[in-house]
């Protein structure tokens, strides 16, 4: 149980009673990583000799607010992932649990949420594929949820202009439908932070359509809940394609050179 507390609003009480605030992180890691190319499931690929998933779990555990990490593993890899996490040291205050995932990210997150103990009030959802998110970004998300926002998303302005097109199969020229104003667009990252009840309600309400939702905050928007954006970080990029591995290795090499990370 976290030692941190927040007051229950009760203006009449002389010493307001407190309810515990406990934050857990759910890490969907059950994807195959098709866009990265053939090989082990993406979360188990090594970065600088350490599995990507271990980097991602440590990134969550590095936040003092996070006392539990739930990893959603490929269904056939639960035992392997549990053994892996036992082999790598985590801060003592952090527990972890491994549960089997589903066919889509949306289902994997739902299965992770189902494994949360009752006392958890704040939930982070963090892609295993974003192994290098700095702890300050994690803390900023947690802080915004604790300040009262039901859904919080770290995000960055876009470098590229974005066009909406009418997709054409087979690689032919695609007609442009619209060009949104770039200054109003944000590329969203994880960890996304939520009031636990709000996120659970979103996952109970929004059906899995096709490949499912890739963005938990978007599911909260569907419910009409307010979602806010806080500054993301360049190092919270998602490892998706082979070039992203090159960037991730470069970031780790720079961290090692700077502070022996
Ligand atoms: N994920 C999951 N369960 C799935 C699909 C995805 O837990 N059925 C997780 C991935 O492991 C990843 C995160 O969701 O940490 C973001 O997904 P993405 O980057 O798309 O990873 P993959 O689905 O593995 O990659 P690809 O789409 O290239 O196959
Ligand atoms: Mg995917």
């Amino acid at each position: 149980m976290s030692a941190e507390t927040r007051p229950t609003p009760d203006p009449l009480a002389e010493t307001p009673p407190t309810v515990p605030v406990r934050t857990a992180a759910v890490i969907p890691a059950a994807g195959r990583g098709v866009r990265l190319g053939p090989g082990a499931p993406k979360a188990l690929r090594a970065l600088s000799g350490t599995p990507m998933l271990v980097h991602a779990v440590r990134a969550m555990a590095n936040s003092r607010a996070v006392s539990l990490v739930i990893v959603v593993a490929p269904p056939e890899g639960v035992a392997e992932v549990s053994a892996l996490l036992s082999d790598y040291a985590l801060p003592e205050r952090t527990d972890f649990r491994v549960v089997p995932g589903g066919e889509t990210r949306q289902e994997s997150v739902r299965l992770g949420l189902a494994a949360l103990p009752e006392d958890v009030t704040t939930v982070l959802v963090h892609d295993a594929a974003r192994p290098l998110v700095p702890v300050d970004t994690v803390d900023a998300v947690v802080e915004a949820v604790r300040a009262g926002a039901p859904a919080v998303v770290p995000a960055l302005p876009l470098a590229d202009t974005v066009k909406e097109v009418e997709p054409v199969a087979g690689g032919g020229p695609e007609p442009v439908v619209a060009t949104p104003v770039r200054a109003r667009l944000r590329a969203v990252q994880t960890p996304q932070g939520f009031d636990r009840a709000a996120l659970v309600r979103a996952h109970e309400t929004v059906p899995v359509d096709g490949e499912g939702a890739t963005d938990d905050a978007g599911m909260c928007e569907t419910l009409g809940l307010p979602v806010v954006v806080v500054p993301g970080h360049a190092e919270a990029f998602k490892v998706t394609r082979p070039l992203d591995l090159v960037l991730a290795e470069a970031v780790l090499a720079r961290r090692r050179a700077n502070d022996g990370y």
Side-chain angles (χ1 to χ4, degrees):
M1 171 83 59
S2 161
E4 292 170 73
T5 56
R6 75 180 165 207
T8 300
D10 182 358
L12 298 178
E14 268 184 25
T15 313
T18 54
V19 291
V21 175
R22 192 176 180 209
T23 300
V26 172
I27 302 188
R32 298 226 53 82
V34 171
R35 288 170 290 179
L36 202 54
K42 181 160 76 176
L44 302 181
R45 305 270 192 114
L47 285 181
S48 183
T50 302
M52 201 179 307
L53 173 63
V54 172
H55 288 282
V57 171
R58 283 180 176 159
M60 297 299 102
N62 281 344
S63 168
R64 303 199 66 82
V66 175
S67 57
L68 170 68
V69 176
I70 294 186
V71 172
V72 189
E76 68 285 0
V78 171
E80 185 189 349
V81 167
S82 301
L84 186 74
L85 292 177
S86 303
D87 286 350
Y88 286 88
L90 294 177
E92 216 160 78
R93 61 177 181 272
T94 316
D95 291 332
F96 71 87
R97 258 184 222 186
V98 183
V99 299
E103 282 294 309
T104 63
R105 183 185 184 281
Q106 183 177 339
E107 289 168 291
S108 292
V109 172
R110 188 175 54 77
L111 291 164
L113 294 175
L116 287 173
E118 267 194 12
D119 62 347
V120 170
T121 52
T122 299
V123 181
L124 301 177
V125 180
H126 181 62
D127 293 327
R130 298 183 191 270
L132 304 182
V133 60
V135 69
D136 288 353
T137 305
V138 183
D139 287 340
V141 170
V142 173
E143 196 125 312
V145 179
R146 290 185 175 180
V152 178
V153 185
L156 290 176
L158 273 73
D160 294 328
T161 296
V162 172
K163 298 217 181 275
E164 182 183 349
V165 300
E166 194 57 59
V168 170
E174 299 176 315
V176 171
V177 174
T179 305
V181 178
R182 190 179 66 188
R184 291 178 60 88
L185 299 178
R186 301 287 180 269
V188 307
Q189 304 178 322
T190 73
Q192 299 188 348
F194 302 91
D195 170 66
R196 181 223 181 123
L199 183 60
V200 167
R201 192 151 59 82
H203 273 269
E204 283 170 352
T205 311
V206 179
V208 179
D209 183 13
E211 292 183 4
T214 55
D215 174 49
D216 297 279
M219 297 171 66
C220 292
E221 289 163 50
T222 306
L223 260 53
L225 292 167
V227 176
V228 296
V229 162
V230 297
H233 196 285
E235 292 179 9
F237 67 95
K238 187 152 71 80
V239 175
T240 306
R241 298 182 183 85
L243 198 55
D244 298 322
L245 291 173
V246 179
L247 180 58
E249 292 290 358
V251 169
L252 286 170
R254 189 179 63 181
R255 286 184 186 177
R256 274 196 304 275
N258 285 349
D259 54 29
Y261 177 89

